[in-house]
Amino acid sequence: MKDMGLFIDSLRNQRHDFMNDIQVLYGYMQINKYEEALRYLKKISKENENISNIYNLGDKFLGYILENNIKTMNKYGILLDIELEISSFNDIYFEKDFYKKRHLVNNIFNELKKNSEKIYVYLFEDELGKSLLISNNEEVKDELDWIEEWNNIQVDIEKFYIYRYKDNGEIGYRIIFEKVKKRWRKVV
């Protein structure tokens, strides 16, 4: 029943957001601010394009978590920069322990929204594995090469590895959700 409640709440929120968007557009049109209406339509379109791209990766649970946070940040006027280097997933990583993972990601976004005008979301894969970076500055991406200097945060989520970076007001969280298995070669 908990899942059905979550589903119903999501539908209600989508309907509410849709009606708000219609009212904003209608208001701009009533006062002949067609350029503002067009700018607003482009913003809505870009937001939905980003959300579609995230869902297209193949993990609807991650998609749902990020969609809710994207919409929440937009309500607060926080800009989002979303970069996807991964075109699809081989597995569904956010289904098991969904509520814990959702809580973790929500907490990261909530921390960043306190002092940020923009949040950077980056899904990528490197030698450590498939990862999600959420930060208040795209420049944090440059610090990924120095992950050993990031703080490792212990969480009670199996196969999730969390690292936190903080320096000069820049904050970033890296969630590694599929570690690369080290391949050992036998030396002959």
Side-chain angles (χ1 to χ4, degrees):
M1 256 345 207
K2 186 177 181 180
D3 290 338
M4 183 55 105
L6 183 65
F7 177 72
I8 292 168
D9 287 344
S10 288
L11 288 176
R12 290 180 66 214
N13 286 335
Q14 283 184 355
R15 185 191 132 315
H16 178 78
D17 291 345
F18 177 75
M19 291 307 297
N20 283 345
D21 290 336
I22 295 295
Q23 288 174 345
V24 168
L25 289 169
Y26 184 67
Y28 281 139
M29 293 171 75
Q30 277 188 314
I31 57 175
N32 297 322
K33 291 197 172 191
Y34 300 109
E35 288 299 316
E36 290 294 323
L38 186 57
R39 199 176 353 264
Y40 194 79
L41 269 173
K42 287 179 181 179
K43 177 185 160 250
I44 294 168
S45 178
K46 181 66 176 166
E47 176 184 304
N48 283 293
E49 179 183 338
N50 284 329
I51 291 167
S52 290
N53 289 337
I54 292 167
Y55 275 108
N56 286 339
L57 294 172
D59 187 338
K60 62 186 173 191
F61 298 93
L62 171 62
Y64 177 81
I65 292 168
L66 290 178
E67 176 181 11
N68 284 319
N69 280 289
I70 289 167
K71 290 186 177 290
T72 299
M73 295 305 116
N74 281 330
K75 286 179 190 175
Y76 284 98
I78 296 172
L79 300 173
L80 281 111
D81 184 6
I82 299 170
E83 184 177 351
L84 306 177
E85 266 190 19
I86 297 174
S87 58
S88 65
F89 292 141
N90 303 331
D91 203 350
I92 298 175
Y93 302 101
F94 283 74
E95 181 177 18
K96 184 177 182 199
D97 293 326
F98 169 76
Y99 292 101
K100 288 181 182 180
K101 293 171 183 174
R102 182 181 71 161
H103 185 69
L104 170 72
V105 173
N106 289 352
N107 284 342
I108 292 170
F109 274 96
N110 286 329
E111 178 185 348
L112 294 177
K113 86 174 179 195
K114 292 176 187 172
N115 301 309
S116 303
E117 295 176 6
K118 186 174 185 179
I119 293 178
Y120 177 68
V121 178
Y122 178 44
L123 274 156
F124 65 101
E125 183 173 9
D126 63 9
E127 67 278 355
L128 297 178
K130 289 185 174 79
S131 300
L132 169 64
L133 172 68
I134 307 169
S135 69
N136 64 350
N137 189 330
E138 183 178 353
E139 302 299 315
V140 173
K141 180 170 97 171
D142 297 334
E143 302 300 324
L144 290 169
D145 291 335
W146 311 104
I147 195 75
E148 64 275 355
E149 295 177 13
W150 291 40
N151 294 324
N152 185 332
I153 300 172
Q154 300 298 315
V155 293
D156 183 30
I157 303 173
E158 186 181 337
K159 297 182 181 178
F160 255 52
Y161 308 91
I162 316 301
Y163 297 89
R164 184 176 192 266
Y165 172 84
K166 185 173 184 179
D167 187 45
N168 294 325
E170 292 181 343
I171 301 170
Y173 287 88
R174 178 179 183 167
I175 302 169
I176 302 173
F177 50 88
E178 181 185 282
K179 271 195 164 185
V180 171
K181 294 176 178 81
K182 292 187 179 186
R183 294 179 181 98
W184 299 98
R185 290 188 308 177
K186 191 174 184 179
V187 179
V188 182

